[in-house]
Amino acid sequence: MIEVNNIYKSFDGKAVLTDVSAQFFTGKVNQIIGQSGSGKTVLMKCIIGLFRPEQGDVFYDGRNLTKMSLSEVKLLRREVGMLFQGSALFDSLSVLENVMFPLRMFAKNMTVKEKEERATFCLNRVNLTKDRFNLFPGEISGGMQKRVAIARAIALNPKYLFCDEPNSGLDPVTSLVIDKLIEEITEEYNITTIVNTHDMNSIMETGAHIILIENGCKAWDGSKDNIFSSDNESLNRFVFASNLFKKIKNSVEK
């Protein structure tokens, strides 16, 4: 589990996060949602350690990230997988080589053969066929690139997985496939997964635990199961900005 307590972060004297506290549970897809500019990306970066909050603490299973030395932070990051918004694959490396990259960086005790076997296992787990392994990122579809990025993110068998807008640039059908894949991997390997998203389809599909950020504050928390029944004004402003979801809510209430 990851916990954040009373996080405050500002830039140039302007508060971006104010007194944010939240819990993110193991074995579940935890989502940080909110409008653009709400502070959700800054919160994720504070949790990862890319930004240092002026106040507050971040705990990884009781270990306080904000109090760690640089060497301790480096060790913790070996337990972290990251799925970037644009996949961020290396264009000059093949699919297999991309997944092997973190193993080459951190798994010094593994042989080349073991690294290749681990990368192959991860690619198989995300349902990518072997005929794609030697292709370059530019030679595969956006959905396949996301699968490769997920395989790379789990290569080191992480305890914590961060996903920044994992469905960015994907069609609705492929987006749902990626959502389910992240959910399956989270539950199968008992990972603490945090997803930064504003995609309502993703929220309703996999949001086991959801934190809403509005104007730098936590405005609501709950799950996909009680989104439509909540009377929280901040949540309703976010969810029912679309006429489609307004109609869905009305049908549920009837």
Side-chain angles (χ1 to χ4, degrees), residues 32-49:
I32 303 173
I33 67 172
Q35 297 179 1
S36 298
S38 62
K40 63 183 187 296
T41 299
V42 174
L43 175 59
M44 178 175 273
K45 289 183 176 181
C46 286
I47 295 171
I48 298 170

Side-chain angles (χ1 to χ4, degrees), residues 212 219-221 226-237 239-240 249 253:
L212 172 67
W220 178 84
D221 65 3
N226 50 28
I227 277 183
F228 290 128
S229 61
S230 173
D231 58 1
N232 182 281
E233 292 183 5
S234 297
L235 179 67
N236 288 337
R237 275 195 299 272
V239 173
F240 303 116
K249 182 179 183 181
E253 290 176 343

Side-chain angles (χ1 to χ4, degrees), residues 63-187:
R63 297 171 291 173
N64 193 339
L65 173 66
T66 55
K67 300 291 192 296
M68 288 182 182
S69 65
L70 181 59
S71 60
E72 289 172 327
V73 171
K74 288 181 178 179
L75 286 174
L76 175 63
R77 284 183 176 159
R78 295 187 184 186
E79 302 175 17
V80 172
M82 185 74 201
L83 176 60
F84 298 95
Q85 183 171 337
S87 297
L89 300 177
F90 297 104
D91 293 335
S92 59
L93 299 181
S94 70
V95 163
L96 185 64
E97 289 169 336
N98 263 283
V99 180
M100 289 179 65
F101 183 81
L103 298 169
R104 288 173 173 163
M105 290 291 292
F106 298 111
K108 303 298 185 182
N109 59 329
M110 295 176 69
T111 66
V112 174
K113 183 180 179 182
E114 288 171 334
K115 292 172 185 177
E116 186 171 333
E117 288 175 347
R118 174 61 184 172
T120 297
F121 171 83
C122 292
L123 286 166
N124 287 335
R125 180 59 191 82
V126 300
N127 302 317
L128 207 68
T129 55
K130 193 172 183 179
D131 59 314
R132 312 288 183 181
F133 287 11
N134 292 321
L135 297 179
F136 291 94
E139 299 176 311
I140 59 177
S141 68
M144 288 183 184
Q145 289 178 20
K146 290 289 184 180
R147 291 175 185 270
V148 176
I150 294 171
R152 184 177 64 182
I154 65 171
L156 289 169
N157 196 24
K159 295 175 63 177
Y160 315 97
L161 177 62
F162 294 90
C163 306
D164 185 21
E165 299 286 358
N167 292 330
S168 176
L170 300 180
D171 64 83
V173 174
T174 305
S175 294
L176 289 175
V177 172
I178 296 301
D179 284 338
K180 294 307 293 183
L181 183 56
I182 292 171
E183 183 178 48
E184 289 171 5
I185 287 172
T186 296
E187 294 175 354

